[in-house]
Amino acid sequence: MKEEKKLASLGKAEEGKSGKLTMNQNSNTRSVSDIVQARARKFFSKKTLHQRLPITQWLPKYNLESLEGDMVAGLTVGLTVIPQGIAYALVAGLTPNYGLYSAFMGCFVYMFLGSCKDITIGPTAIMSIMTHEYSVDKNPDYAILLCFLSGIIIFAAAVCNLGFLITFISKPVIAGFTSAAAISIASSQLKGLFGLSYQSESVIEAFSKLFENIGDTRWQDLTLGLCSIVVLLLMRKLKDLKITKVQPDDSTYVRIGRKMLFLISVGRNAIVVIVAGIIAFAAKSDTFTLTGDIEAGLPAFKAPPFSTWDNGTEIYFSEMVSNVGAGIIIIPLISILESIAIASAFAGGKTIDATQEMYALGMCNILGAFVQSIPVTGSFSRTAVNSTSGVKTPAGGIVTGLLVVLALAFLTPYFKYIPKATLSAVIICAVIFMVEYETVRPIWKARQLDQIPLWGTFLTCLFWKLEFGILVGVGINLAILLYGVARPKVNVSTVLRKDESGPHYVLVEPRSGLFFPSVDHIRGQVTKAGVGPAESSVMVVVDCKHFTGIDYTATKGMKSLCQDFERRHQPLVFTNVTPGVERGLCSLIDDIVIARSSDQIDAAYKNPQSSAWRATDLCPGFCSIK
C-alpha cells in the first residue's frame, strides 16, 4: 500500500509538469548544481578550514606562555634528534647526513597540518630498518623515492578515508612487530659497539657474524660503547627522580636548578655524543672507529629521483619501483601505524582525527623527499620528551627544525669525530625500551587467544622478515575473527510448561549474526536441538535478537531448515526478529512463522501439529507470507 501511495504521489507530481524532456533535464541540472554548491560550501567552510589546517585553531590564541614552553621543548627535542638522526641514517645503511636531512622538514610541515601538539615527525628506528630492507644496494635514491611514494600513498589513503583499515591490525600484532623490530635493530648495532665490520641481514646472522669475528674486537670501541650505555641509562633515570620535579614552594634558583637537571636528562644523547666526540678528537686518529666525513651544508631543494644509476646503467622509474617491491605498501602502513598510535597515546583523552594525521604525515614525506629525506613518521621517544618538556603547541617543531638546520649549516665538519660505538650505544638505549614484554601478561589475562597473533608476529618478524611478520599477524587475526563468525556460540535451553509437567518448547539462541559463513553451523545446531532435546516433536523457538542482518545464502539455509521441520511436522518459530532480517527471511520463505510476543509463542504451542500448519491459523500478528 505504501508503495502504491508513493507511486500515486509521484504520478501526480509528474502530471503537474509540462512533460517535456527539456524540463526534466533542467530539473536534473539544477539538482546536480545544488549538490555541487552544497559540497563546495561545506568544503570552504570555517569548520573545514580549522579541521584541515589546525594551525588556524591555536595560532590566534598564541601567547608568551606558549612561546616559552615551545622554545624549551623544541630545543630539548632538537638536542635529541640530531644524534638520533645521525645514528638512524647508519641503521638505514646510508651516510649520516641523510638522517639530518630527514629531521627538519617534518617539523615544519607538521606545525601547519598536525592536530596533536606533542608529536614530532622525523627519522625513527623502525622506519630506518625498513628503509634498509628496501634501499637497493644502499643507494640513497631508493630511500628518497620511498619517502616520496610513501607520502603520496598516505595522502591518497587520507583522501579516500581508508584510515579504518588500520583497525584490522590489532594491538598484539603491533606489540609483536615493535618488539621484534627493536631486537633486530639492537642486534644490527652490536658490530659498531664491538668495533667490527661485517654485513648481516637477520638477527641470527648478526649474532653468528659477531661470534665469528669476536677475536677482532677493538677494546677501545667496546669500552667507550659500554660506558656510553651505562651513562645513557643513568641519565635517563635522572628525570624520574624527585630532585628534578619542580615544587610550588621552590625558589627561583632551585626551580632553575631542577629544570637544568631535567634538561640534562632528556638531552643525554647530545651530551654523550659531544663528550665522546671530544674524547675521540683528543685521542689519536686510529684509537676509535669514527663516523667519518659528512657532507657539509644544507640539502638542495629538488625533485625526488625518478631514475638512478647502477654501475653506469641508468635505471628508470618503473624498474626502481619494481626493485623496491612490497616496500611501497609496507613502509606507508608502518608509518601510519606508528604515527596514529603515538597520537592516540598522547591525546590526553581527546578524540584523534586519524584522517588529518594521515594528511599531515603524507605531506611531511612528500615535501621531505624534496630535501632528500628518508621515510619519516612520529617518534615515540622524542614525542615523550616533547610532552614532558612542556610543549604547548605544534610550533615547538619550528625550534627543533631550525636547530637541525643550523647543525647542518655549521656543525657537520665536526660530526666526523663522533665514534660509531657511541652512536650504536645511542640506538641500543633507544630501542631496548621498545620491547613490549610487559604486555604479554595483560594480553593473557584479557584473552588467551590473542597470544597466537602476538607470538606469531614476533617470531616471524624476528626470524624471517619484518614485513612478513605483519602479514602473518594480520592473517592470524582475520582467521580468528572469521572462525568466530563462521562458528558462533549457540545456546540451547528447554523452557518448561507453567505446571512443569514437561517441555514447553526448546529455545535456541545463536550469539552472533546470521550470514553465509555461519548459516550451515546455525542450521546444524537448530536441527540438533530439534531432534535431541525437542525429540522431533516439541516446538523449537529460534531467538534472533543477535541477528543484525541476513544475506541470500543465509536465507536459503533458513528455508531448508524450515522445510526439514515441516517434513517432521515439528513447529519452528522465529522470535525477536528485526525488520531487516524479517524482510530477508520472508522474501524467500513462504511459510515462515515469526512470533512477536510470548503470547504468540504460546499460541503456536497450543495449535495442533499437522502438515497444513500455518502461522495465520495461530494468532493475528504473525508473519506468514506466501
Side-chain angles (χ1 to χ4, degrees):
M1 290 296 293
K2 290 182 179 179
E3 292 294 329
E4 292 175 0
K5 290 179 180 179
K6 186 175 180 181
L7 291 171
S9 62
L10 288 173
K12 290 178 181 178
E14 289 297 327
E15 290 175 3
K17 296 179 182 179
S18 64
K20 293 184 179 180
L21 184 61
T22 54
M23 292 291 288
N24 290 334
Q25 290 176 337
N26 290 338
S27 176
N28 291 337
T29 304
R30 283 196 300 270
S31 177
V32 172
S33 177
D34 291 342
I35 293 172
V36 171
Q37 288 179 14
R39 292 289 178 89
R41 282 194 297 269
K42 181 180 179 181
F43 182 79
F44 292 103
S45 66
K46 189 175 181 179
K47 180 181 178 181
T48 303
L49 177 66
H50 288 332
Q51 186 179 14
R52 297 298 172 228
L53 200 63
I55 190 175
T56 58
Q57 296 183 42
W58 56 263
L59 189 59
K61 306 171 187 176
Y62 204 75
N63 52 35
L64 288 176
E65 182 184 357
S66 299
L67 179 63
E68 180 187 358
D70 291 342
M71 286 286 290
V72 172
L75 287 170
T76 306
V77 174
L79 292 174
T80 304
V81 73
I82 290 172
Q84 280 190 346
I86 295 171
Y88 290 154
L90 299 179
V91 173
L94 305 173
T95 54
N97 52 302
Y98 285 100
L100 296 177
Y101 295 164
S102 310
F104 66 89
M105 182 58 79
C107 298
F108 297 149
V109 175
Y110 194 82
M111 186 191 77
F112 292 94
L113 299 177
S115 60
C116 181
K117 66 180 179 64
D118 300 299
I119 283 189
T120 60
I121 303 293
T124 67
I126 291 179
M127 293 304 291
S128 296
I129 196 170
M130 295 308 298
T131 301
H132 179 267
E133 287 270 338
Y134 295 105
S135 293
V136 181
D137 297 326
K138 298 182 181 179
N139 187 336
D141 287 345
Y142 281 98
I144 299 166
L145 182 63
L146 267 174
C147 181
F148 180 74
L149 294 178
S150 296
I152 293 292
I153 291 171
I154 294 169
F155 192 86
V159 171
C160 298
N161 289 316
L162 296 180
F164 74 93
L165 294 176
I166 301 300
T167 58
F168 285 95
I169 303 178
S170 66
K171 296 296 182 185
V173 173
I174 296 173
F177 169 78
T178 304
S179 301
I183 295 173
S184 298
I185 294 166
S187 65
S188 71
Q189 296 307 303
L190 292 176
K191 62 180 181 182
L193 194 67
F194 282 78
L196 302 174
S197 178
Y198 56 80
Q199 296 295 324
S200 61
E201 298 296 332
S202 65
V203 174
I204 295 176
E205 189 179 3
F207 280 99
S208 175
K209 292 286 184 69
L210 174 65
F211 289 120
E212 286 178 10
N213 297 275
I214 197 73
D216 299 326
T217 300
R218 293 172 56 90
W219 68 267
Q220 302 96 325
D221 287 325
L222 182 60
T223 303
L224 181 62
L226 292 176
C227 290
S228 298
I229 289 176
V230 172
V231 173
L232 285 168
L233 294 177
L234 290 174
M235 292 177 73
R236 183 181 186 274
K237 194 65 180 175
L238 180 62
K239 66 179 174 57
D240 299 325
L241 300 178
K242 189 176 180 180
I243 193 174
T244 62
K245 310 297 181 183
V246 177
Q247 305 297 328
D249 56 346
D250 285 343
S251 64
T252 303
Y253 293 108
V254 173
R255 191 181 296 267
I256 292 173
R258 292 183 190 277
K259 285 189 175 182
M260 287 299 295
L261 287 174
F262 176 79
L263 289 174
I264 289 172
S265 177
V266 297
R268 59 189 177 276
N269 290 331
I271 294 172
V272 169
V273 166
I274 290 171
V275 172
I278 293 172
I279 293 172
F281 178 77
K284 293 181 180 180
S285 58
D286 60 345
T287 304
F288 302 103
T289 305
L290 303 181
T291 301
D293 293 327
I294 298 177
E295 185 177 340
L298 297 172
F301 190 86
K302 60 181 182 180
F306 295 108
S307 63
T308 189
W309 292 86
D310 181 22
N311 296 326
T313 304
E314 186 173 9
I315 300 174
Y316 295 102
F317 175 74
S318 58
E319 190 175 352
M320 289 181 72
V321 172
S322 176
N323 291 339
V324 168
I328 293 179
I329 302 300
I330 298 295
I331 288 181
L333 177 64
I334 296 172
S335 181
I336 295 170
L337 269 178
E338 277 199 86
S339 192
I340 299 298
I342 293 169
S344 301
F346 288 88
K350 298 179 180 178
T351 302
I352 289 296
D353 186 350
T355 300
Q356 181 57 32
E357 286 300 307
M358 290 167 65
Y359 278 124
L361 186 60
M363 288 306 300
C364 287
N365 279 279
I366 291 171
L367 293 179
F370 284 82
V371 291
Q372 288 118 76
S373 167
I374 65 175
V376 296
T377 186
S379 164
F380 194 90
S381 60
R382 294 195 297 274
T383 298
V385 169
N386 205 24
S387 180
T388 54
S389 300
V391 71
K392 302 297 182 183
T393 70
I398 285 287
V399 181
T400 300
L402 288 176
L403 196 62
V404 175
V405 169
L406 290 174
L408 276 168
F410 302 109
L411 299 180
T412 43
Y414 305 102
F415 289 156
K416 68 180 180 181
Y417 295 106
I418 299 175
K420 285 188 176 181
T422 301
L423 291 177
S424 294
V426 169
I427 295 170
I428 291 171
C429 289
V431 300
I432 57 174
F433 297 100
M434 291 166 52
V435 180
E436 300 184 36
Y437 62 89
E438 72 281 356
T439 63
V440 175
R441 191 174 180 182
I443 289 174
W444 178 266
K445 287 183 176 180
R447 191 189 185 204
Q448 296 177 3
L449 198 60
D450 281 341
Q451 293 287 332
I452 299 177
L454 170 67
W455 290 104
T457 303
F458 177 78
L459 295 174
T460 306
C461 288
L462 198 61
F463 297 113
W464 194 8
K465 284 193 174 183
L466 291 171
E467 61 271 27
F468 294 148
I470 290 183
L471 295 177
V472 168
V474 171
I476 293 172
N477 262 337
L478 290 177
I480 293 172
L481 284 173
L482 291 175
Y483 183 83
V485 172
R487 293 292 183 271
K489 291 183 178 180
V490 179
N491 295 335
V492 179
S493 59
T494 301
V495 179
L496 300 177
R497 300 192 188 104
K498 293 180 181 179
D499 58 2
E500 298 186 357
S501 60
H504 186 29
Y505 56 83
V506 174
L507 179 65
V508 181
E509 184 181 357
R511 305 296 297 179
S512 65
L514 182 61
F515 291 101
F516 71 91
S518 62
V519 64
D520 288 337
H521 176 69
I522 293 175
R523 179 185 172 187
Q525 292 296 311
V526 175
T527 300
K528 184 178 178 181
V531 175
E535 300 177 350
S536 299
S537 59
V538 178
M539 181 174 67
V540 175
V541 177
V542 180
D543 191 342
C544 304
K545 64 184 176 184
H546 296 292
F547 295 170
T548 57
I550 191 169
D551 56 32
Y552 175 76
T553 305
T555 305
K556 291 284 288 184
M558 291 299 100
K559 182 177 181 179
S560 299
L561 179 66
C562 291
Q563 291 171 348
D564 293 341
F565 272 74
E566 188 171 352
R567 279 192 293 268
R568 290 199 300 268
H569 307 301
Q570 185 177 11
L572 177 64
V573 178
F574 294 81
T575 188
N576 293 324
V577 183
T578 61
V581 174
E582 182 177 330
R583 282 194 300 271
L585 291 172
C586 293
S587 65
L588 293 180
I589 308 173
D590 292 337
D591 301 321
I592 189 168
V593 179
I594 298 177
R596 295 184 176 86
S597 68
S598 58
D599 292 337
Q600 293 178 355
I601 295 176
D602 292 337
Y605 172 76
K606 294 174 184 178
N607 187 72
Q609 298 179 10
S610 69
S611 58
W613 183 79
R614 292 290 181 267
T616 49
D617 298 331
L618 302 174
C619 183
F622 275 89
C623 169
S624 180
I625 299 178
K626 296 184 179 181

